[in-house]
């Protein structure tokens, strides 16, 4: 099971939007049932990432993360979305 942490400033609104988009995207690419999404606020991200495969965050990568980082901003703005999706698919294929 691939663990993906989705984080935003407070862990409430934008992380929910990004998590829903990522779940739909991964399911459409054949990954249904092969990943776990965990939402949190940025302050909790370093601790949540200790056993995660990667972090998708709507802010800059926080200090102390030990997993791969993907910017979640493209899933809110649309700009750079294709590159972010490719990065996620590459990480899922590892």
């Amino acid at each position: 099971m691939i663990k993906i942490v989705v984080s935003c400033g407070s862990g409430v609104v934008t992380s929910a939007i990004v998590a829903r988009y990522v779940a739909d995207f991964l399911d459409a690419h054949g990954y249904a049932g092969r990943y776990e999404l965990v939402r949190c606020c940025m302050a909790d991200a370093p601790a949540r990432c200790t056993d995660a495969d990667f972090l998708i965050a709507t802010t800059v990568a926080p200090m102390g993360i030990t997993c791969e980082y993907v910017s979640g901003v493209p899933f809110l703005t649309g700009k750079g979305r294709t590159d972010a999706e490719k990065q996620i698919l590459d990480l899922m294929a590892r």
Side-chain angles (χ1 to χ4, degrees):
M1 181 77 61
I2 296 170
K3 181 178 177 183
I4 305 165
V5 176
V6 181
S7 182
C8 68
S10 66
V12 180
V13 179
T14 56
S15 64
I17 294 167
V18 172
R20 179 75 267 152
Y21 181 87
V22 170
D24 291 345
F25 174 75
L26 290 175
D27 291 353
H29 283 82
Y31 287 102
R34 297 173 49 196
Y35 63 90
E36 170 191 12
L37 289 175
V38 176
R39 289 180 29 221
C40 69
C41 66
M42 268 332 247
D44 294 340
R48 294 288 189 121
C49 288
T50 58
D51 64 344
D53 294 283
F54 59 98
L55 166 69
I56 302 171
T58 61
T59 64
V60 297
M63 301 265 310
I65 64 164
T66 56
C67 62
E68 296 287 335
Y69 166 80
V70 177
S71 175
V73 174
F75 304 117
L76 301 172
T77 66
K79 186 173 182 171
R81 183 176 289 173
T82 302
D83 292 336
E85 290 172 342
K86 182 183 180 322
Q87 188 178 4
I88 289 171
L89 290 177
D90 290 346
L91 290 167
M92 293 296 290
R94 287 186 178 180

